[in-house]
Amino acid sequence: DLFEAGYSAVLIAVGAHEGIRLPIPGANLDGVLINTRFLRDVRLGKYQVIGHSIQNHADAPPLGKHILVLGGGNVAIDVARSAVRLGCQVSMACLESQDNMPAHPWEVEAAQAEGIALYPQRSFERIHGDPNGHVTGVECMNVSSFSFDETGHLNVEKVSSSNHILPCDTVIFSVGQRAGLAFIP
């Protein structure tokens, strides 16, 4: 209708509020969460600490005690620090070296001061689960370097025979966001 009314363009400025789930094996296991949904649920009070356990509202996914946040940006830091404040043991793994993490350096320092362990220069190969389909850890490889080509494709140089598992019972993807445009017909 806007075009018929004489407008030649429409700007849709909804923000990048949809988290991204990497297409790796195990990404749909129970215990795998997305950054933006987790932060929304925390903000809405859907997780509460009662005694020494975390209680979740019926429409919020259960949260384990050992969380691994995948990503190294400011939102990943927000996710990690929010989980620490819920009483979780939290680690972060990211592709970048610690000095080149996209998060602000003071945010990284604050996260470490809160006890968050960092695993920089890691690739995410697969998420492992138990026989019931619940997360038990993330298989990673050490990264020697990475770059993006002219089309934006990621090229990662991995250290051979460096496969290892970072144990956890909850994985939270925080590797970026995109605009949620599902409302557009």
Side-chain angles (χ1 to χ4, degrees):
D1 292 344
L2 291 173
F3 294 119
E4 290 173 7
Y7 292 94
S8 59
V10 176
L11 173 64
I12 301 172
V14 295
H17 59 276
E18 232 178 61
I20 295 171
R21 182 185 307 257
L22 291 176
I24 60 174
N28 291 316
L29 288 171
D30 289 337
V32 177
L33 308 177
I34 304 297
N35 57 356
T36 52
R37 291 183 202 150
F38 171 72
L39 289 173
R40 178 200 63 205
D41 289 345
V42 168
R43 181 69 180 116
L44 292 175
K46 293 186 178 183
Y47 294 106
Q48 296 181 356
V49 179
I50 300 175
H52 293 289
S53 65
I54 302 167
Q55 303 296 316
N56 60 292
H57 188 271
D59 65 346
L63 196 61
K65 291 293 284 181
H66 302 282
I67 295 177
L68 178 60
V69 177
L70 302 181
N74 288 320
V75 175
I77 297 281
D78 292 344
V79 167
R81 293 179 75 190
S82 294
V84 163
R85 292 172 189 146
L86 290 171
C88 300
Q89 179 183 340
V90 182
S91 301
M92 293 178 64
C94 63
L95 191 61
E96 302 85 6
S97 68
Q98 184 171 337
D99 290 339
N100 291 317
M101 288 173 65
H104 298 301
W106 60 88
E107 292 277 8
V108 175
E109 290 171 18
Q112 288 180 301
E114 286 192 69
I116 296 167
L118 295 180
Y119 295 96
Q121 293 181 277
R122 301 298 199 279
S123 69
F124 316 129
E125 302 299 314
R126 72 177 347 102
I127 300 172
H128 289 264
D130 64 19
N132 297 319
H134 192 86
V135 169
T136 59
V138 176
E139 182 177 339
C140 299
M141 289 184 75
N142 294 337
V143 172
S144 58
S145 67
F146 71 93
S147 62
F148 293 93
D149 66 19
E150 61 279 347
T151 65
H153 182 263
L154 176 64
N155 298 305
V156 179
E157 293 291 326
K158 302 172 190 175
V159 177
S160 65
S161 302
S162 66
N163 295 65
H164 57 284
I165 295 177
L166 298 176
C168 60
D169 55 17
T170 302
V171 171
I172 304 178
F173 279 111
S174 191
V175 293
Q177 292 94 239
R178 62 178 163 229
L181 302 176
F183 67 92
I184 299 174

